[in-house]
């Protein structure tokens, strides 16, 4: 079993930055690809970014490419999402996920989920 706990959400003005963290406990962190998804009110959960088990490759949704950066620290058993130049449409609950493969944007392909952290961008 894997437990994921997100932190770092909050309220920020458009154009600002936030860094989300996801602390992982349970089975070996380096055995899992890690990803971030988000869900805005009234919308389906959507893929944001993911990273390979080793951290050597990343994958981004077009909507965040060039603004968001996913990274992982296997020693600290934590995955991060650095979000820059935030826009009002980035407002959502952000979820951390763990799974076997990083190169998938389908939420059904991910095995474990955190409880989410709210990000609100004011315009």
């Amino acid at each position: 079993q894997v437990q994921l706990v997100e932190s770092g959400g909050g309220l920020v003005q458009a154009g600002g930055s936030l860094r989300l963290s996801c602390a992982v406990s349970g089975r070996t962190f380096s055995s899992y690809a890690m990803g971030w998804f988000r869900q805005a009110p009234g919308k389906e959960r959507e893929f944001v970014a993911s990273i390979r088990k080793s951290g050597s490759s990343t994958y981004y949704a077009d909507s965040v490419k060039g603004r968001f950066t996913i990274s992982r620290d296997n020693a600290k058993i934590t995955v991060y999402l650095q979000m820059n130049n935030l826009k009002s449409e980035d407002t959502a609950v952000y979820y951390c996920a763990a799974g076997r493969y990083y190169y998938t944007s389908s939420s059904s392909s991910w095995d474990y989920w955190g409880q989410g952290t709210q990000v609100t961008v004011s315009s």
Side-chain angles (χ1 to χ4, degrees), residues 41 80 104 111:
Y80 305 98
T104 173
D111 300 318

Side-chain angles (χ1 to χ4, degrees), residues 17-89:
S17 298
L18 279 176
R19 188 176 82 155
L20 304 183
S21 299
C22 175
V24 182
S25 62
R27 293 187 177 178
T28 306
F29 177 62
S30 59
S31 299
Y32 291 94
M34 299 299 298
W36 287 95
F37 285 73
R38 67 187 182 187
Q39 188 166 17
K43 295 188 177 181
E44 294 188 354
R45 190 171 297 189
E46 66 172 359
F47 171 78
V48 175
S50 61
I51 189 166
R52 192 187 286 269
K53 298 172 187 179
S54 65
S56 60
S57 300
T58 56
Y59 177 39
Y60 294 95
D62 288 342
S63 58
V64 306
K65 202 172 293 183
R67 299 188 297 123
F68 291 11
T69 302
I70 187 171
S71 62
R72 65 190 294 162
D73 186 333
N74 285 354
K76 293 184 178 180
I77 320 177
T78 302
V79 61
Y80 305 98
L81 184 68
Q82 178 67 43
M83 305 185 295
N84 298 329
N85 190 21
L86 283 159
K87 305 175 181 180
S88 57
E89 51 263 43

